[in-house]
Amino acid sequence: MPEEQAKVQAETQAAALQKALDKDEASRKDLAAKGDIQDVCTEIQDVRLELKQEIQDVRLEMKSMEMRLLKRQLGIGAALGSFMFAGFGTLAVVMAKGFGWLGF
């Protein structure tokens, strides 16, 4: 019987030792995970900085595009205005000739 007790006691001690070793390994994995978290946080900060720079670049490009569109609109407006002026001028000349205001 003492052999059986010793065997049971040895198995119990082995199980307890294995459980303690598993906890120790789990805590080491936790420490590694914390280091990984720090690396991920650093990467997130880097990505945020890159994203801010890209946003600034897009804003500058949008302002440039706005200026080009404004110049185009002003050019089209000036062209239409000059065509209208020429058209009304031609109409005035035709009407003046029709009413005999020009003398020829």
Side-chain angles (χ1 to χ4, degrees):
M1 187 96 160
E3 281 183 30
E4 289 178 25
Q5 282 180 339
K7 189 176 183 181
V8 169
Q9 189 177 8
E11 288 175 1
T12 306
Q13 287 176 351
L17 183 61
Q18 185 63 38
K19 193 175 186 181
L21 289 174
D22 288 343
K23 283 185 181 179
D24 189 42
E25 188 176 324
S27 68
R28 274 193 238 132
K29 285 183 181 178
D30 263 353
L31 290 175
K34 288 178 185 177
D36 291 342
I37 289 172
Q38 191 69 359
D39 292 342
V40 170
C41 287
T42 304
E43 284 183 41
I44 289 173
Q45 288 175 349
D46 292 343
V47 169
R48 281 184 179 168
L49 290 175
E50 289 175 12
L51 187 59
K52 283 182 182 180
Q53 183 62 40
E54 286 184 29
I55 289 172
Q56 286 178 344
D57 292 344
V58 169
R59 285 182 178 161
L60 287 174
E61 189 175 332
M62 286 175 56
K63 283 185 181 184
S64 171
M65 185 65 70
E66 286 176 4
M67 291 305 293
R68 283 193 287 174
L69 287 174
L70 184 60
K71 287 178 186 177
R72 228 179 247 173
Q73 286 176 340
L74 289 174
I76 289 172
L80 286 176
S82 63
F83 286 137
M84 287 175 59
F85 182 73
F88 286 130
T90 304
L91 179 63
V93 169
V94 169
M95 286 178 66
K97 180 161 176 34
F99 288 117
W101 294 339
L102 294 177
F104 55 90

